[in-house]
Amino acid sequence: MPQLIVKSSDQPVDVYPLVRLRTTIGRSARSDVCIPDAFASRLHAEVRKEGESYWLQDLGSANGTRYNGQVVSMPIPLIPGGEIQIGETTILFDDERLIKGKNATLITDSTQALDPSMTISFNHRRTPTSEIIDSQFSSRTELLGLISKVGVALLSSSGLDDTLNQVASLVFEAVPADRCVIMLKNEANGEMKIMVARQRGKTETVEEVRISSLVMLEVLQNGKSVLTADAQHDPRFASQTMALLDIRSVLAVPLSVSENNIFGLIYADAPTGTATFSEEHLNILTTLASVASIRVENAKLLEERFEKERIQRELAFATEIQQSFQPSSPPQMENYEFQGISFSCYEIGGDYYDFIKLPEGKMMIALGDVSGKGTAAALLMSSLHAAIHAQITAKTPLMQTIVSVNKYLTENTPSNRFVTLFAAELDPQTGVLTYINAGHNPPLVGRANGEVEQLESGGFPLGLILMAEYEIGQLQLNSGDSLIVYSDGVSEANNLKEEEFGMDRLKAVVSKNINRSAAGLRDKVENALSNFTQTAPANDDITLVIVKRK
């Protein structure tokens, strides 16, 4: 796997696998690779995946980034062994995918050793296997043959369902049962779920299963095995269920890896007029369950691991897709600087920002915030991205773009979901910014003299009212002025005392650092935000866009 190897003069070597589409490097704790280097900017550089290649890009850092001794002024491809220099920190790019002749490692699931001396008896006393052989089985070979057969059969099982079906088949071979049911506990809610329900000689699943609740209670809560040779007249288990199903004999044993961890049961019964279960059958089924429990538990854990890995792969893929929506690098425009950054509070988020080149040399700047967080917000964000780009491709004017996107979202999203959006068109020749604010936080304008203004013109968020009306505002950006657009994850960030960062602090940072570059101003805002929140977890996605006229 491609990775970055970070070497600092007074720090141990750290290794960071490149598992994201974009990996940020900097002094900020929000960076994917955080380097405690005094000469590094808060958000210093970025490694981005393009196809099968990786590219290095400086993020407008104060002291610059070097790659193999050369200053990085534009995105540059990384090669294995390449050296990135940031301040006093050296970062090596390593890509083991390109190393030939690697050894393959076979990983198999391990099965715990079975202690055959422990079985569950009817009176809940653990009985040694040797005692069972001497008192119940006709020969030692018969029991050892059963244990061997169970072990070999279950070892060949490929998954949980296959394992459980193998167990059911072995139950029919071991005891004269007409029906076998295997149930496992749902760890999330504690409820029992029927995993296998079969009748002897049939492969299809029994559609309706009825089991005495008293039998289940005895096994699952009291941890006891159940044997009754005459269920309809047994005072412990006689019930309408037994009579209705014409059940005579019942066997039930717990599935567990310890006495305090019963995760399921094996149930078998036989109707009136067929063979009657004996204590020997109970011991056979108990022995089978003792061997099967470990394999079933391992199969469960293996499936849970596979499911967790599947979800992680899907989240990683979703994160990669979402990051691909963000601009790969700030656009270049004479006399202007553009910077944008976004941090999700979960794996994927609902914030969106964009720089889109328009006809006649103009530039569109957009920042949107979808209500909610996580996967649902990310899906709606992708719809917003597609809708805006579709309108831009069609050369739709700004007002009509917002009206059309609002109509699309209103008609195609749930009523409890909406999007706030700030969208603006910049004319670089005049410095005039024409904008619409659809329910978004009022952006700030930092003037060259240190004054800070708020843009108030706006309208309803997108996706709420079909025929909503919007106002167009205009702003003159003069030399040294900056536009700061942000999501509410910035202004509403909380510290450990549950206090908000707030607009006053944001304005103060902008006013104090207005003469810095767009990247420098971005870093100062992020630094103030980090110092304020400290170790408090982010309660929303954080996105910041800055446009500066030099």
Side-chain angles (χ1 to χ4, degrees):
M1 175 181 292
Q3 57 190 10
L4 298 178
I5 302 172
V6 180
K7 301 178 180 180
S8 301
S9 57
D10 57 348
Q11 298 288 332
V13 174
D14 285 320
V15 177
Y16 296 87
L18 293 173
V19 295
R20 299 165 61 88
L21 182 69
R22 308 174 72 157
T23 301
T24 54
I25 308 170
R27 196 158 40 86
S28 169
R30 292 190 179 87
S31 296
D32 300 311
V33 179
C34 179
I35 52 175
D37 191 310
F39 296 98
S41 295
R42 302 285 300 177
L43 301 167
H44 195 105
E46 177 181 82
V47 173
R48 182 182 178 91
K49 183 180 181 183
E50 297 282 357
E52 293 301 313
S53 302
Y54 287 84
W55 292 68
L56 173 67
Q57 175 182 316
D58 184 84
L59 295 179
S61 64
N63 296 312
T65 304
R66 291 180 176 271
Y67 180 65
N68 290 336
Q70 301 298 315
V71 176
V72 177
S73 57
M74 57 188 299
I76 185 169
L78 296 176
I79 59 174
E83 186 176 285
I84 303 168
Q85 192 71 39
I86 295 177
E88 297 179 343
T89 303
T90 300
I91 304 174
L92 297 178
F93 173 68
D94 179 38
D95 192 350
E96 63 181 12
R97 298 173 306 167
L98 304 180
I99 301 175
K100 297 182 180 180
K102 296 186 302 216
N103 293 326
T105 302
L106 176 64
I107 301 175
T108 60
D109 61 306
S110 59
T111 303
Q112 302 176 20
L114 173 68
D115 181 1
S117 66
M118 308 299 284
T119 60
I120 304 175
S121 68
F122 177 66
N123 60 5
H124 200 222
R125 180 177 70 86
R126 297 276 182 173
T127 307
T129 301
S130 58
E131 207 175 292
I132 295 176
I133 294 173
D134 294 338
S135 61
Q136 303 293 339
F137 286 86
S138 57
S139 70
R140 180 181 296 270
T141 304
E142 183 180 343
L143 179 59
L144 293 179
L146 170 66
I147 295 175
S148 176
K149 189 172 185 178
V150 172
V152 171
L154 296 185
L155 193 61
S156 64
S157 303
S158 58
L160 181 60
D161 290 341
D162 187 27
T163 298
L164 295 174
N165 275 297
Q166 288 276 15
V167 171
S169 297
L170 290 167
V171 169
F172 288 128
E173 288 187 35
V175 298
D178 182 67
R179 187 173 65 149
C180 176
V181 177
I182 301 177
M183 304 178 73
L184 297 182
K185 184 182 293 184
N186 186 323
E187 297 298 335
N189 54 27
E191 295 181 357
M192 298 300 296
K193 180 181 180 182
I194 296 174
M195 305 298 293
V196 175
R198 284 170 48 187
Q199 281 188 298
R200 180 179 291 276
K202 297 181 180 179
T203 57
E204 62 270 17
T205 300
V206 176
E207 293 184 0
E208 184 177 86
V209 176
R210 294 189 181 187
I211 299 176
S212 168
S213 59
L214 292 175
V215 172
M216 291 181 60
L217 180 68
E218 190 77 355
V219 175
L220 298 172
Q221 292 193 13
N222 299 332
K224 294 183 178 180
S225 298
V226 170
L227 163 63
T228 177
D230 194 353
Q232 296 184 27
H233 298 93
D234 190 323
R236 299 168 302 163
F237 307 117
S239 66
Q240 185 177 359
T241 299
M242 298 296 189
L244 181 65
L245 298 178
D246 195 27
I247 294 173
R248 180 181 183 185
S249 295
V250 170
L251 283 175
V253 296
L255 288 169
S256 65
V257 290
S258 68
E259 291 187 16
N260 298 322
N261 181 22
I262 298 174
F263 60 83
L265 65 84
I266 300 176
Y267 172 93
D269 61 29
T272 303
T274 61
T276 301
F277 293 148
S278 65
E279 191 170 347
E280 179 177 346
H281 295 132
L282 175 70
N283 284 325
I284 292 174
L285 192 61
T286 299
T287 302
L288 191 155
S290 297
V291 179
S293 289
I294 296 175
R295 185 64 185 92
V296 171
E297 180 72 359
N298 282 345
K300 279 178 58 185
L301 294 174
L302 195 61
E303 288 209 349
E304 289 170 3
R305 192 187 81 186
F306 287 157
E307 178 64 12
K308 183 178 180 180
E309 290 176 351
R310 183 190 65 79
I311 293 173
Q312 288 176 337
R313 285 195 302 271
E314 289 187 358
L315 277 176
F317 185 53
T319 301
E320 184 173 326
I321 291 175
Q322 186 177 46
Q323 289 182 340
S324 69
F325 291 155
Q326 299 175 6
S328 58
S329 60
Q332 301 297 312
M333 182 178 284
E334 188 177 359
N335 296 324
Y336 290 89
E337 294 177 342
F338 301 88
Q339 286 292 334
I341 200 73
S342 185
F343 300 100
S344 299
C345 64
Y346 297 146
E347 287 83 357
I348 51 179
D351 281 4
Y352 156 76
Y353 80 90
D354 221 338
F355 302 112
I356 309 172
K357 291 184 178 180
L358 302 174
E360 300 176 1
K362 294 183 179 181
M363 181 72 68
M364 182 174 186
I365 301 101
L367 194 157
D369 187 354
V370 176
S371 63
K373 294 179 281 293
T375 306
L379 289 172
L380 187 50
M381 186 277 276
S382 65
S383 295
L384 173 66
H385 175 275
I388 289 178
H389 276 260
Q391 296 297 321
I392 297 301
T393 302
K395 299 181 179 180
T396 308
L398 179 61
M399 175 61 79
Q400 188 56 46
T401 293
I402 301 303
V403 170
S404 298
V405 172
N406 175 63
K407 182 175 184 294
Y408 168 75
L409 293 178
T410 303
E411 293 176 345
N412 293 281
T413 58
S415 59
N416 63 340
R417 293 284 179 178
F418 60 89
V419 177
T420 66
L421 176 70
F422 177 83
E425 290 182 357
L426 172 65
D427 185 338
Q429 299 299 322
T430 62
V432 172
L433 199 76
T434 304
Y435 66 90
I436 292 178
N437 189 339
H440 197 73
N441 304 81
L444 300 181
V445 180
R447 298 300 183 182
N449 61 6
E451 294 181 359
V452 179
E453 306 169 6
Q454 279 186 263
L455 300 182
E456 298 293 349
S457 297
F460 288 102
L462 308 178
L464 288 179
I465 302 174
L466 184 63
M467 303 304 292
E469 297 182 355
Y470 298 92
E471 300 177 11
I472 285 188
Q474 280 197 335
L475 161 71
Q476 178 68 50
L477 278 183
N478 299 313
S479 297
D481 292 348
S482 294
L483 171 72
I484 299 92
V485 195
Y486 55 94
S487 65
D488 54 14
V490 175
S491 57
E492 297 177 8
N494 288 343
N495 62 11
L496 295 171
K497 298 179 181 179
E498 295 295 321
E499 299 169 333
E500 279 193 0
F501 185 68
M503 290 302 302
D504 290 342
R505 289 186 179 87
L506 182 57
K507 287 181 179 179
V509 176
V510 171
S511 177
K512 185 177 179 180
N513 297 280
I514 195 63
N515 292 323
R516 294 181 180 272
S517 65
L521 182 55
R522 174 206 64 201
D523 282 359
K524 288 298 181 180
V525 171
E526 195 280 331
N527 185 37
L529 197 62
S530 295
N531 289 338
F532 176 77
T533 57
Q534 295 182 342
T535 58
N539 53 13
D540 204 349
D541 304 329
I542 294 173
T543 303
L544 189 66
V545 167
I546 296 175
V547 179
K548 184 178 183 68
R549 186 171 186 181
K550 296 180 182 179

